[in-house]
Amino acid sequence: VHDKETNVIYVVDGSATFVTGGTMIGGKVNKPGQHLGTDIKGGDVHHMSKGDVIVVPAGTPHWFKEVPQSVSYYVVKVLKQ
């Protein structure tokens, strides 16, 4: 979870299962404004592949749950003021 950063993710190559929302499990502050967990309970599952785009609003749990082989992506971070 990024407290003040919205992520815009564009998949350049490969595929992955990406989860957004739900409840972060085992969350700990990694650095100011960022929390890392061990899992997400619930949430929306997105099967992403080349050309897909997803926007993850600030404060939303998210992670690449499954990456069968590899996934390459760009992230644009938009800072919440």
Side-chain angles (χ1 to χ4, degrees):
V1 174
H2 307 283
D3 293 341
K4 295 185 178 184
E5 296 173 348
T6 291
N7 288 340
V8 180
I9 300 170
Y10 170 71
V11 178
V12 176
D13 198 23
S15 64
T17 300
F18 191 70
V19 179
T20 59
T23 304
M24 181 179 12
I25 305 299
K28 296 182 181 179
V29 175
N30 179 49
K31 62 182 183 179
Q34 180 173 308
H35 311 265
L36 293 179
T38 56
D39 200 352
I40 292 177
K41 182 178 179 181
D44 298 317
V45 176
H46 311 273
H47 299 287
M48 299 183 67
S49 58
K50 184 176 180 176
D52 289 342
V53 176
I54 192 164
V55 177
V56 183
T60 303
H62 59 282
W63 73 323
F64 284 98
K65 182 174 183 174
E66 297 171 353
V67 181
Q69 293 186 2
S70 67
V71 64
S72 298
Y73 58 93
Y74 287 116
V75 178
V76 175
K77 293 187 174 281
V78 181
L79 193 59
K80 182 179 178 182
Q81 297 294 324

